Amino acid sequence: MKNPYEWLADAVNNHTWTVAGVAVAVFVLALFGLTMVTMETGDDTYIDKDTPRGALLAHYKDTYGSDAIMLIYEADSVRNPEILRYIDHLQEDLRNERYVSEVSGVVDLLKQANGGTLPPSTAEIDGIIGQAPPELVERMLPSDLMTISIISLEPGVGLEVQKQVLENIETIISISEPPAGVSVTVSGTPAFSKEMGEAMGAEMGTLILVAMVFMTIAVMLLFSHVRYRLLPVGVVTVGLILTFGLMGIFGIPVSMVVVAAFPVLIGVGIDYAIQFQARFDEESRRSPLPEAVWTTITQMGPSILIAMTATALGFIAMFFAPVPMIADFGKVCAIGVASCYIAALIIIPVFGLITNYRPKNDAQPANPASGTGHALVERYEHLLGRLAYTVAKHPLPILLIFGVVAAGGYYLDEKVPISADEKTFVPDTMPALEDMEKITRTMGSTSTVPVVVTGDDVLSLEMLEWIDRFGTYEVEQNDKMTGVVSIATLIRDYNGGVLPKTSGEVDAAVARIPEATLKGYLNGRMEAVLEFSTVAMEMDAQKSFIEGIRSDIAWNDPPAGATVAITGSGEMFTALMDDIAESKTFMTVLGFAFILGFLLLVYRRVGAVSPLVPIAFVVGWCGAIMYFLGLDYTPLTAVLGSMSIGVASEYTIVIMERCEEELAKGVGYLEAIQTAVQKIGMAITVSGVATISGFAALTVSTFNIISNFGIVTVITIGFSLVGAIIALPAVLSIMYRYTGSTRAPVQTGAGVAD
């Protein structure tokens, strides 16, 4: 009974155009799926809603309110009555917009103090502002040149709706005819998320284009010894479109981290195409095309499948990351490598038959034993063979040196800092980021830390007293706190400045609080929120700050039956630091475990660990590079260990597979290692350089998180080539000395269709 590869080889040889037609139909389906791909930003990319922390954050935003949109007005003097009338009219128009719950600004303060109308003169305006609370004026009117309106959205408004509201606001502003010299800028977290999504879309296109250009140049220069040298570029393009199509069909969104997956796929996917075409070119030199197709599919198909599966398992380890966009990165990469493998397996032999492929005459490989080739390719292959032979004869010094350096790298890896500040991930010159920083400089920090309190009755006297006491304690004891608003402070405000003494007084005070204000801090009688406002802090300081609040909650001993939990975006990003620290190690270990289990299942012997030894070196070297380059671990660089395992395993497994194939012919292990590296080394070098070219595109990204990832991954691929070409022969030499080979002899050309 034929195995799937023999069946495919028969189909390609005997029904070439049918196979081509099926491939085209699948490609058209992928184009349809491509139209369904979506962009995603915001909390859902950082935290899983199915976790307790994610569920609490989603519940808080759905129940108590979404992020506010801010309008920045700038003019020579925003106290000018004409300008204030314009702001008032604009705010009235915005209040009528769907999903807008409240619009507030300095004009509301002026109208409240002037009987509901705006003062007509500058002198009256200055008088009211001079008598208003300084802290309120500082936030609403930070200078005579600028003022800010805050647009609060209804609770539970999602990102797509926020985007639509932003577009409506921008339209209203564009037709509002502001007075001469007045500029109006839309800012705030929703505007930041919207602009980041648009920037990601543009960035993805740029990175893919740059990666394709870099890769094309690399292939043209290094793969010139074969005919149709740009065929791998076409294969990768098809694989990339298949990946996009499957993303759309399966509903996997493009996030800030997933954007980096496409140059990665271009770099990894080109390797499969080069490996298949190099083997097909080699076989077509000594066999008729049908036999070359048969040997390429039946020999390289399973070998590359093993390597591809190992690579995919490195990405599959990312599925278990606690950060959704890391998991999505792993899904996209796993789908992508499979798509590129299938594209290369089918397109190259079909293309070879349809075009009646003929190898170049000037690329005839030299006799591996002679070393007399005059072509650059031949000399390079001979050099690799001699290097592999020398290393295989003296393996221990190489392994000792590489092992010591890797051990040092693992030690330094623990000293690499972790960054989880979203604002450091995006371009420094992004207008939305600059606008938000302007608000922070003028208004002070707009950050808050919500604390959710649940119990049988949060309006009971005991619970209100605890909420009031805890809020006061935090503000008094923590110099980073600037204030607190809670159901207790609201009840105080509407009860003469004191807490009620009876339940009836509580209910009466609650009834006096405006509904729009109340719903931001109370949900029925079983849940309430304390909202602490804070100064601006770096992420490390914010992490310590939130940990301090958590300790204070336990120390202040909430009433029996009450649960108190911190939530909000600040808590999410500080928790992300712990998630990155834990997940980067977990994904690396899991990637090793997956690939080791797979290799043991395939080879059924201890020697299956051989391809992983050089990879263990590579992962250690990467840790040292991160440390010496001064890079941080982010949600993207956190995947480095697992990705390195997957990518590097492809090189090591392909060489070991070719070595096993040579051993099955009856040659000695030193000659088998030499021939394997000599035959595969050139293809691996070409594919490695092409892979580096794909990854190098990441370094031109304007997103800091992506460009830093590109720098370290380029170095990592270089390490992977060193591990495969130098470290692996040493490992294989030791393995074959003690375990030998178990592969059955190869029947070259068996079953080829006539």
Side-chain angles (χ1 to χ4, degrees), residues 260-457:
F262 301 108
V264 170
L265 291 179
I266 292 171
V268 175
I270 193 70
D271 182 58
Y272 304 142
I274 288 173
Q275 293 288 346
F276 274 111
Q277 187 172 356
R279 184 60 180 266
F280 182 71
D281 183 80
E282 178 187 337
E283 296 298 331
S284 65
R285 296 179 186 282
R286 59 192 180 204
S287 310
L289 281 183
E291 188 173 335
V293 167
W294 177 275
T295 304
T296 300
I297 292 177
T298 59
Q299 290 297 323
M300 287 300 287
S303 297
I304 301 296
L305 175 66
I306 293 171
M308 184 277 294
T309 303
T311 301
L313 286 172
F315 293 125
I316 289 172
M318 301 175 195
F319 291 9
F320 302 92
V323 183
M325 60 182 170
I326 293 179
D328 286 342
F329 178 89
K331 292 173 187 175
V332 171
C333 288
I335 291 171
V337 295
S339 297
C340 291
Y341 168 78
I342 293 170
L345 177 66
I346 294 174
I347 292 175
I348 288 174
V350 168
F351 180 86
L353 289 174
I354 291 176
T355 59
N356 194 26
Y357 184 88
R358 291 290 181 270
K360 281 186 175 181
N361 293 329
D362 60 353
Q364 200 65 253
N367 183 343
S370 70
T372 59
H374 299 290
L376 178 62
V377 171
E378 295 170 345
R379 292 198 296 270
Y380 180 71
E381 289 178 342
H382 181 69
L383 175 64
L384 291 181
R386 294 305 304 169
L387 177 62
Y389 184 85
T390 302
V391 169
K393 284 194 69 175
H394 308 285
L396 290 180
I398 295 295
L399 295 179
L400 182 62
I401 293 171
F402 284 1
V404 168
V405 175
Y410 281 112
Y411 171 76
L412 293 175
D413 181 73
E414 296 301 317
K415 299 181 178 297
V416 176
I418 295 171
S419 174
D421 187 352
E422 185 179 42
K423 294 181 179 61
T424 65
F425 299 161
V426 301
D428 297 335
T429 56
M430 181 183 286
L433 177 61
E434 293 177 340
D435 292 337
M436 291 182 69
E437 290 175 342
K438 182 189 295 183
I439 290 174
T440 301
R441 287 194 302 269
T442 54
M443 290 180 62
S445 173
T446 58
S447 301
T448 60
V449 177
V451 176
V452 179
V453 180
T454 58
D456 294 336
D457 185 4

Side-chain angles (χ1 to χ4, degrees), residues 66-142:
S66 303
D67 294 311
I69 299 170
M70 298 185 182
L71 300 185
I72 305 173
Y73 307 91
E74 294 178 280
D76 291 338
S77 175
V78 292
R79 300 191 189 197
N80 184 308
E82 181 186 5
I83 293 175
L84 291 174
R85 283 194 296 272
Y86 164 76
I87 294 173
D88 187 34
H89 291 149
L90 180 60
Q91 288 192 174
E92 287 299 324
D93 290 339
L94 295 175
R95 287 190 180 99
N96 296 324
E97 277 297 299
R98 190 179 179 189
Y99 302 114
V100 172
S101 64
E102 185 180 2
V103 183
S104 60
V106 68
V107 292
D108 300 291
L109 172 67
L110 295 170
K111 289 167 71 175
Q112 183 179 0
N114 195 53
T117 61
L118 276 174
S121 67
T122 302
E124 292 175 277
I125 292 170
D126 291 342
I128 294 173
I129 290 174
Q131 296 176 3
E135 64 276 4
L136 189 61
V137 173
E138 186 178 349
R139 291 181 68 83
M140 290 186 171
L141 192 69

Side-chain angles (χ1 to χ4, degrees), residues 476-562:
E476 290 177 350
Q477 297 297 318
N478 199 323
D479 59 358
K480 293 183 173 61
M481 294 276 193
T482 58
V484 61
V485 180
S486 68
I487 185 60
T489 63
L490 291 176
I491 289 176
R492 275 182 176 276
D493 292 342
Y494 286 87
N495 193 57
V498 297
L499 284 178
K501 301 297 184 182
T502 66
S503 297
E505 292 176 356
V506 170
D507 293 339
V510 169
R512 288 192 290 271
I513 302 173
E515 182 66 23
T517 303
L518 186 65
K519 67 182 182 182
Y521 301 93
L522 183 68
N523 180 27
R525 297 186 68 95
M526 299 181 65
E527 185 178 83
V529 167
L530 296 92
E531 192 169 73
F532 294 100
S533 52
T534 71
V535 299
M537 288 177 277
E538 295 293 331
M539 193 56 64
D540 286 338
Q542 191 169 12
K543 186 174 186 293
S544 299
F545 173 76
I546 289 176
E547 288 172 352
I549 297 176
R550 194 168 281 119
S551 298
D552 290 343
I553 290 171
W555 189 82
N556 277 274
D557 193 20

Side-chain angles (χ1 to χ4, degrees), residues 146-165:
M146 185 175 76
T147 186
I148 295 170
S149 292
I150 300 175
I151 304 171
S152 301
L153 302 181
E154 294 176 358
V157 173
L159 288 176
E160 286 302 314
V161 175
Q162 288 183 16
K163 182 178 178 181
Q164 185 59 52
V165 172

